[in-house]
Amino acid sequence: MSDTPFYGPDFDLLSKQDPDIAEILLSELHRQQSDLQLIASENFTSRAVLAALGSTLSNKYAEGYAGKRYYGGCEEVDKAEILAIDRAKSLFGAEHANVQPHSGASANIAVYAAFTKPGDTVLAMSLPHGGHLTHGSKVNFSGKWFNVVSYGVRQSDELIDYDELRDLAIANKPKMICSGATAYPSLIDFEKVRAICDEVGAIMWVDAAHFIGLVAGKAIPSPVPYADVVSFTTHKVLRGPRGGMILSKAAHAAAIDKAVFPGMQGGPIMSAVAGKAVALKECAQPSYQKYALDVISNCQELAKGLENEGMRAVSGGTQTHLALIDIRSTNVNGKVADQRCGLAGIVLNKNAIPFDPESPAVTSGIRVGSAATTTQGLGKAEMHVIASFIARAIATEAEGELSQIKKEVHALTSRFPIYAA
Ligand code: DSN
């Protein structure tokens, strides 16, 4: 296919063998290239990572760990896993790394398995205040199997209330305290959380999925020196392959490794493990450190732009890669805003704001992130253009105007090509 230089000869082969799937791959590439990707948990991984993902390592079963596998023929994949582990330990200054979790949720299941038993009490951030399903939602294993007590943010400033957290910890004596969220735009005070964990004898677990890329780029403080265990995904700001990872103190290494395999997973996805190694090498470059700083400044600019358009950034702005926007001033709810933006070629998600009067399926907010657009090369000026696109899209249900915005979105993204020839 002449317009798919990115995919190369293997794509030509696929096009002949399975045109249906080839067409989907092509359409998805075009969607990612032309629309604005503002989902805070997404990014554009490098071609080098994609090459590792699409490699023959996908064929290999490697249950166990390097040098202690349950299958023969693991000499080469062992090398990839050892490189990934060494790079993770070096990048984050961690005593131990497990690079096998298939996803963030898988990594979190392993953390529960390593440190708790069903029925134990765990303290974690409530989902409506920005937490995650695996932090105790009643529809998730965490909420079904554990006694999860939730903490939230203060209504006055929408920041974590560490006094409330300490009071809850003293009252409930949790086995483990989880910090980390999917929609919290501010930094977490890990020193304070460590002090609370020490006071009540709890394991300190940080689910760093959202912000670990900013830590890797040395743009925000690291939880690694404080936490017993840090879990995360590798595909958000970190810009690696879809997958998970766990860092821990050396004292917890055996428990973590046993919890991942054979506790929770069988064979690791070795192509993804190799992809993680590639991404970690990229993250150690000075250019990635600049990227991480740019992600934050772009997101701050986007939040300012949306505030200039009359919307309100939760907690007054952002110190990270994501902003949570209260859009009640527009008289449009999150669900409708999400749909209208989608029709205008702006991909974001509706999101509950703290103390949201609307249901989780409707919400009063949107969440925007700058990881992907920053990879694409957009800067501060473009963030203000994006804010005006979002404001115009939310304000109209007219198909003509939404199509017009989409044209302008595509004109903008065409100036910042990704995965180009
Ligand atoms: N689904 C991710 C997010 O969008 O934040 C969290 O796992």
Side-chain angles (χ1 to χ4, degrees):
M1 293 207 173
S2 57
D3 61 343
T4 58
F6 170 60
Y7 281 125
D10 286 348
F11 185 77
D12 291 341
L13 186 76
L14 178 68
S15 302
K16 287 192 190 86
Q17 198 171 309
D18 193 336
D20 299 326
I21 286 292
E23 193 55 42
I24 293 167
L25 263 57
L26 191 55
S27 304
E28 175 59 13
L29 171 63
H30 287 165
R31 189 195 67 79
Q32 291 188 19
Q33 287 172 323
S34 52
D35 289 352
L36 274 168
Q37 311 299 333
L38 301 181
I39 304 265
S41 46
E42 292 181 356
N43 209 333
F44 301 120
T45 197
S46 69
R47 289 173 186 230
V49 169
L50 291 178
L53 285 175
S55 69
T56 55
L57 269 63
S58 176
N59 299 334
K60 189 70 197 97
Y61 245 120
E63 286 183 6
Y65 291 99
K68 290 172 286 183
R69 305 283 188 190
Y70 288 79
Y71 293 90
C74 290
E75 304 78 29
E76 300 307 322
V77 293
D78 274 6
K79 290 180 204 161
E81 184 162 340
I82 289 166
L83 267 180
I85 290 170
D86 288 348
R87 288 175 184 174
K89 284 164 67 176
S90 153
L91 182 66
F92 296 109
E95 293 174 11
H96 179 67
N98 187 305
V99 298
Q100 293 193 1
H102 300 330
S103 68
S106 303
N108 290 355
I109 294 171
V111 170
Y112 280 95
F115 296 108
T116 60
K117 293 200 168 36
D120 280 348
T121 298
V122 174
L123 196 51
M125 190 146 173
S126 96
L127 184 56
H129 283 209
H132 185 250
L133 278 174
T134 55
H135 300 175
S137 163
K138 289 289 169 215
V139 296
N140 182 261
F141 79 91
S142 54
K144 290 180 198 283
W145 298 347
F146 297 90
N147 173 37
V148 181
V149 177
S150 298
Y151 62 89
V153 298
R154 263 188 308 260
Q155 196 149 12
S156 55
D157 57 7
E158 296 162 318
L159 297 174
I160 292 171
D161 184 344
Y162 295 96
D163 293 331
E164 183 208 27
L165 178 53
R166 178 171 177 267
D167 290 346
L168 285 170
I170 291 169
N172 293 283
K173 301 192 176 25
K175 198 87 172 272
M176 185 161 74
I177 298 179
C178 173
S179 340
T182 62
Y184 186 67
S186 301
L187 301 182
I188 296 170
D189 189 333
F190 300 118
E191 199 175 342
K192 273 191 186 154
V193 178
R194 178 76 255 175
I196 296 168
C197 288
D198 287 343
E199 197 176 347
V200 300
I203 290 288
M204 179 175 170
W205 164 31
V206 177
D207 180 346
H210 260 272
F211 57 81
I212 194 72
L214 301 176
V215 174
K218 309 206 183 313
I220 64 169
S222 172
V224 173
Y226 300 99
D228 293 288
V229 60
V230 178
S231 62
F232 53 90
T233 45
T234 48
H235 48 268
K236 296 186 171 82
V237 184
L238 197 71
R239 213 160 56 181
R242 189 154 289 274
M245 206 179 284
I246 302 174
L247 307 174
S248 76
K249 299 284 185 243
H252 305 307
I256 289 291
D257 286 353
K258 252 173 79 180
V260 173
F261 173 84
M264 189 264 311
Q265 283 182 183
I269 302 169
M270 293 313 298
S271 49
V273 168
K276 289 170 194 175
V278 173
L280 290 165
K281 183 173 181 183
E282 291 173 358
C283 289
Q285 309 305 316
S287 58
Y288 183 84
Q289 292 178 12
K290 179 181 179 321
Y291 164 73
L293 289 170
D294 288 348
V295 166
I296 297 175
S297 58
N298 275 348
C299 201
Q300 287 171 337
E301 220 58 36
L302 181 54
K304 266 188 230 160
L306 290 166
E307 290 203 310
N308 292 342
E309 298 287 347
M311 294 169 246
R312 186 183 76 84
V314 166
S315 72
T318 178
Q319 296 171 291
T320 66
H321 63 297
L322 71 84
L324 186 57
I325 309 295
D326 173 354
I327 59 167
R328 285 176 293 181
S329 60
T330 66
N331 292 319
V332 172
N333 64 45
K335 182 180 175 189
V336 172
D338 181 335
Q339 286 163 350
R340 289 181 183 175
C341 286
L343 291 169
I346 304 161
V347 186
L348 45 71
N349 63 281
K350 65 172 182 273
N351 211 105
I353 58 171
F355 308 96
D356 202 321
E358 299 284 358
S359 73
V362 176
T363 82
S364 303
I366 54 170
R367 186 185 69 163
V368 290
S370 56
T373 49
T374 305
T375 295
Q376 201 169 358
L378 277 72
K380 289 183 181 178
E382 287 79 31
M383 293 300 134
H384 285 271
V385 176
I386 294 174
S388 77
F389 287 155
I390 293 173
R392 281 169 58 198
I394 290 178
T396 185
E397 54 185 341
E399 280 177 23
E401 169 65 355
L402 291 169
S403 311
Q404 173 57 32
I405 300 167
K406 190 169 187 160
K407 273 190 205 139
E408 293 175 41
V409 162
H410 290 181
L412 174 66
T413 53
S414 69
R415 290 173 34 223
F416 298 90
I418 53 151
Y419 302 126

